[in-house]
Amino acid sequence: MTRRLLASIHDVGPKFEGQVDRLVDLLQRHVGEAKFAMLVVPDHWDEAPLSAAPAFQARLRRWADAGVEMFLHGWRHRDDAPVKGFAQKHMTAGEGEFSSLSATEAGVRIAEGRKIIEDAIGRRVAGFIAPAWLYSDGALDAVRNAGFALAEDHMKVWEPVSGRILARGPVITWASRSPGRIRSSLMVAATARILPYALPTARIAVHPGDVTVPALINSIDATFKRYASTHRPSRYADLIV
């Protein structure tokens, strides 16, 4: 059995260009050039439209040309629902954008965001991953109807059109928004490093906010070092056989 390591940088866009550069350098040290994915937000919190950032569009195209997989990652990454459930309140700081959307609204955001990113990179996106890995039933319908090759939530990777599950297991990730979240994510990552073989397909996701906390960067570095020794750095597309 081939054990795979899938690495991803979330929340990619002009708002976090400096942080993304640091994360690219970190990942490349462990998985090599282009053996990671970027999750691109078309207009993060309505503050950083990719469509108005031609220099960053050009950088995305160069990364894509080098082989980096580009995923559509919502539209604005902000959850505007007036009433939020448990996961929306406690698993994300108001960023589960697709957790409450109807199929119609999700479809509109997907179509518009996809066009912006595909125009920038000059090719089809690799797939769709919802902000905070949270999907409403309507959002799942919209992702399937859009015909994406790949989608991901916190516990699996799947083919939206067929519904076939390609990989199972939780994503290893970190949270920087509070001291409690920092401590808990450090503990989870330390536990994950003890038994890497428990995850045949290991998914490690990093976020721009991680670079603001030295302890998180140290943990991310140690986690990638551990998994790169037991798993083959791979692309999400390698799961499709």
Side-chain angles (χ1 to χ4, degrees):
M1 177 181 65
T2 299
R3 292 183 172 86
R4 299 189 186 279
L5 168 59
L6 305 179
S8 60
I9 302 174
H10 284 226
D11 306 347
V12 173
K15 182 176 180 178
F16 300 116
E17 185 168 7
Q19 295 95 318
V20 169
D21 285 343
R22 288 187 60 186
L23 292 171
V24 167
D25 290 343
L26 188 155
L27 266 59
Q28 286 182 337
R29 290 200 302 269
H30 294 288
V31 302
E33 184 178 1
K35 282 294 182 70
F36 57 91
M38 287 184 165
L39 279 56
V40 185
V41 182
D43 188 0
H44 201 285
W45 281 62
D46 298 321
E47 296 172 351
L50 178 62
S51 59
F56 195 80
Q57 290 179 39
R59 298 196 70 199
L60 286 179
R61 181 171 289 222
R62 288 195 293 272
W63 278 318
D65 288 345
V68 174
E69 291 179 297
M70 297 288 172
F71 284 81
L72 173 61
H73 191 42
W75 171 259
R76 61 170 58 97
H77 210 289
R78 184 181 67 214
D79 180 9
D80 295 321
V83 179
K84 297 178 174 57
F86 178 86
Q88 296 154 286
K89 290 179 180 178
H90 299 285
M91 292 179 62
T92 176
E95 298 197 327
E97 179 187 4
F98 278 68
S99 60
S100 302
L101 296 182
S102 67
T104 299
E105 179 59 28
V108 169
R109 298 188 192 194
I110 284 171
E112 293 181 356
R114 184 178 197 170
K115 184 178 188 309
I116 288 171
I117 296 173
E118 291 183 346
D119 284 351
I121 64 177
R123 69 195 70 214
R124 293 173 66 87
V125 294
F128 179 85
I129 300 174
W133 295 286
L134 295 174
Y135 300 77
S136 65
D137 290 341
L140 290 171
D141 289 341
V143 171
R144 182 177 63 252
N145 293 337
F148 289 110
L150 292 162
E152 175 187 81
D153 63 21
H154 200 275
M155 294 302 298
K156 65 184 182 297
V157 181
W158 77 96
E159 290 178 328
V161 176
S162 69
R164 182 167 67 109
I165 296 175
L166 304 174
R168 294 185 184 272
V171 179
I172 302 170
T173 191
W174 291 260
S176 60
R177 65 181 181 269
S178 72
R181 296 283 184 179
I182 291 170
R183 287 193 297 270
S184 63
S185 59
L186 291 173
M187 291 174 58
V188 170
T191 301
R193 291 195 296 271
I194 295 172
L195 294 171
Y197 293 108
L199 293 174
T201 300
R203 292 178 291 148
I204 303 179
V206 295
H207 293 77
D210 296 338
V211 306
T212 66
V213 183
L216 293 185
I217 289 297
N218 291 338
S219 177
I220 291 167
D221 195 59
T223 303
F224 270 111
K225 182 177 181 179
R226 179 66 169 121
Y227 275 87
S229 71
T230 58
H231 291 59
R232 179 187 299 172
S234 303
R235 307 172 80 244
Y236 277 81
D238 294 334
L239 298 175
I240 303 175
V241 294

